[in-house]
Amino acid sequence: MNAQTYLKETNPVVTINVKDHGSIELQLFNEVAPNTVANFIEIAEKGLYKGSIFHRIIPGFMIQGGAVNQAVLPIKGDFIANGVNNPLLHTRGVISMARTNVKDSATSQFFIMHKDSPHLDGLYAAFGVVTNGIDVVDAIAKARRDAYDKPYEDIVIESVTVDLKGSLIPKTIRL
């Protein structure tokens, strides 16, 4: 399903403040990926994203960040190929959890879709969407980068703030 289907004033809102770029505001969709949302919020509220960078940028695809300097145990991936009914599509502005080829390997890293990428649908845990600041995503996607898609200049996450909007978020279930 399209992210617009899940937009509600009661969804948790996170704001990613990116040094020299601005802010990206997202609504998180607890109803489609509850453990992924709980995980992201837990990491954000602990301040672990502060100082991390967007370390992988592929224009026309996505921007990836959130590698933190503390060990984070993995979670079960909230996506269809892993037995979880998550119909959220990987369209422009959707946030999803990064992982290895192991389905239950997501920890702290996330990516935000720069463009629609249907080949990811059902294979990764999409869990929210950009509601303000897609221009910041576009600016980050234009950063000069090396052959490994790492920006030449660090694109630093200064902070990630959370407004639960009254939502009750369960404790993260880790593996």
Side-chain angles (χ1 to χ4, degrees):
M1 293 194 129
N2 188 303
Q4 309 314 318
T5 304
Y6 299 103
L7 290 173
K8 291 189 242 178
E9 289 189 24
T10 55
N11 285 333
V13 173
V14 297
T15 303
I16 302 171
N17 297 302
V18 184
K19 184 177 182 182
D20 300 326
H21 286 80
S23 298
I24 304 167
E25 186 177 286
L26 305 106
Q27 273 195 28
L28 303 185
F29 305 144
N30 193 47
E31 68 187 279
V32 296
N35 201 43
T36 302
V37 168
N39 175 63
F40 187 87
I41 289 173
E42 179 183 320
I43 293 166
E45 288 183 333
K46 287 181 177 178
L48 299 181
Y49 287 125
K50 182 178 182 175
S52 66
I53 62 172
F54 281 97
H55 62 275
R56 184 172 176 234
I57 296 171
I58 304 174
F61 180 40
M62 59 85 209
I63 63 172
Q64 182 174 337
V68 300
N69 291 325
Q70 183 175 320
V72 177
L73 293 174
I75 61 171
K76 177 177 175 67
D78 287 322
F79 51 93
I80 293 169
N82 208 21
V84 177
N85 183 22
N86 177 347
L88 185 58
L89 302 177
H90 285 82
T91 54
R92 177 171 163 77
V94 164
I95 186 171
S96 192
M97 287 304 288
R99 63 174 176 83
T100 67
N101 287 332
V102 176
K103 291 178 181 176
D104 294 328
S105 61
T107 56
S108 64
Q109 293 186 42
F110 61 89
F111 55 95
I112 300 172
M113 303 312 306
H114 183 230
K115 300 290 182 189
D116 295 358
S117 297
H119 66 283
L120 301 180
D121 295 344
L123 301 175
Y124 287 82
F127 65 101
V129 70
V130 173
T131 54
N132 286 303
I134 197 70
D135 58 318
V136 175
V137 173
D138 290 341
I140 293 169
K142 291 178 185 173
R144 290 184 21 150
R145 61 202 198 290
D146 66 19
Y148 301 100
D149 298 313
K150 183 179 186 306
Y152 287 119
E153 294 182 26
D154 284 349
I155 300 173
V156 179
I157 296 172
E158 292 183 308
S159 66
V160 178
T161 57
V162 178
D163 181 349
L164 294 177
K165 299 287 187 182
S167 295
L168 296 175
I169 304 299
K171 183 172 172 42
T172 306
I173 299 168
R174 300 201 178 277
L175 301 176

